[in-house]
Amino acid sequence: MTGRRDRAGKSENTYHDLAGVYDAVYAWKNYAREARRVRAIVRRFGPPGAHRVLDVACGTGHHLEHLARWFDVVGLDSSGPMLRVARKRVPRVRFVEARMETFRLSERFDAIICLFSSIGYVRSRGSLERTLANFARHLRPGGVVLVEPWIRPSEFLTGSTHLGTYGTPQFPIVRMHLSERRGGRSIMEMHYLVGTKGGVRHWVERHDMGLFARNVYRVAFVKAGLRFIALPGPGFTGTRGLYLGVMPRAERARRGARGIRARSRSRGPRP
Ligand SMILES: C[S@@+](CC[C@H](N)C(=O)[O-])C[C@H]1O[C@@H](n2cnc3c(N)ncnc32)[C@H](O)[C@@H]1O
């Protein structure tokens, strides 16, 4: 994916220019600790012997770097530049460039994770429901979906400017954005200034994300055939929490058997 720009330095593709500085901006995140919690959740709620994990919107592959020590993992993301960083970080891991709403893989997983609020990029309620149904389609019986949601509508503050500085004195990064709300979406136009030896680069990325209440997530999980659990505690980022969907083992097996019976009836008697 190439990032086309207008004359004001606006990048049409979020996570295009950001890929080069993402790890420096989020250096404060403790991916090792989060990965250990993911492992504990998959072991506790997933099927016995769970070992296949799909990280949807895996970004630069930080969680996968740790999860690959315990599971057989695959990473999926819609951004080519983010995946290029991920492939360098964990060359042994397989990555797929695709959108979470529409990806189709021929394999099934014991756990599908979608962390750091990436789910918000699906934007609308209908799209959230289609995305959860797509996750459920890729689960094995008894499998789990772990989602770190985006901020709740009641907690998203607008009208204030946010400023952050990152990087090092040799590689300084400044990010500033104003939060706006349009309908049920949060819009953040993020201005980046990055100091390099060749000069100061400036670009703007527009992050447009759906603001969904807990009940909207719950309905999407349930419609996808998953038992919804809001895990206790604050989760990984602020008070966003963690949502878990569990595919009932028996139900899934019954549905699978019904599907097989229906298919063999429609084929007629075997010779
Ligand atoms: C906040 S980053 C999270 C990355 C990683 N999970 C982490 O914890 O660092 C959001 C990621 O979502 C990806 N993304 C955005 N929209 C997507 C979509 N529709 N399908 C798949 N990935 C998407 C972006 O490319 C980006 O890598």
Side-chain angles (χ1 to χ4, degrees), residues 23 25-38 62-67 69-70 115-116 148 235-237:
D23 290 342
V25 171
Y26 295 109
W28 51 269
K29 259 175 88 66
N30 192 335
Y31 283 97
R33 191 170 61 203
E34 292 183 8
R36 281 197 298 276
R37 176 124 188 249
V38 170
H62 258 304
H63 288 112
L64 289 170
E65 179 180 15
H66 302 284
L67 293 171
R69 287 160 44 207
W70 314 303
L115 304 178
F116 205 16
E148 181 180 11
F236 296 148
T237 319

Side-chain angles (χ1 to χ4, degrees), residues 15 22 31 57 59 63 77-79 99-101 116 118 121:
Y15 294 100
Y22 184 89
Y31 283 97
H63 288 112
D77 200 284
S78 59
S79 162
R99 296 184 65 80
M100 64 178 107
E101 302 91 322
F116 205 16
S118 310
Y121 289 102

